[in-house]
Amino acid sequence: RSSDLDGSDTQGRLLLTIARDVARRFELGFGAGLHLGSGTGVAGALRLGVATPLRWLTPVLRYDAAVLLTRPSARAEHAVTLGGELSY
């Protein structure tokens, strides 16, 4: 369907996230909540951050998933993101 590709649907996720330091250099996080927009359903996220010698820079690997309930069926969405967080 062309409506899936044109980007005209407003979507977003509302997640409650908890993170913990694991070992000395890693931070592991988990989030759970809702996906709203083109279908509504449950959403979750996993996040792995790595401490660097530069305290203001954290490389991050994140996995997001959602199960969207669209009548009469359900659809799953997944995304993997590699990025960086800057703190100041």
Side-chain angles (χ1 to χ4, degrees), residues 27-51:
E27 180 183 69
L28 185 61
F30 170 77
L34 294 173
H35 177 97
L36 303 169
S38 178
T40 301
V42 295
L46 291 174
R47 179 187 175 280
L48 177 65
V50 180

Side-chain angles (χ1 to χ4, degrees), residues 2-88:
S2 64
S3 64
D4 289 340
L5 301 176
D6 65 10
S8 63
D9 295 329
T10 302
Q11 299 182 48
R13 291 194 175 132
L14 177 64
L15 299 173
L16 175 63
T17 304
I18 298 171
R20 271 261 142 87
D21 289 335
V22 179
R24 294 169 97 183
R25 300 180 51 94
F26 298 102
E27 180 183 69
L28 185 61
F30 170 77
L34 294 173
H35 177 97
L36 303 169
S38 178
T40 301
V42 295
L46 291 174
R47 179 187 175 280
L48 177 65
V50 180
T52 65
L54 305 172
R55 298 193 66 161
W56 48 270
L57 177 64
T58 304
V60 175
L61 178 64
R62 182 173 167 152
Y63 172 73
D64 292 294
V67 177
L68 306 179
L69 306 173
T70 55
R71 294 189 181 178
S73 64
R75 179 178 76 193
E77 289 186 356
H78 305 274
V80 175
T81 306
L82 178 62
E85 287 185 357
L86 299 176
S87 302
Y88 55 93

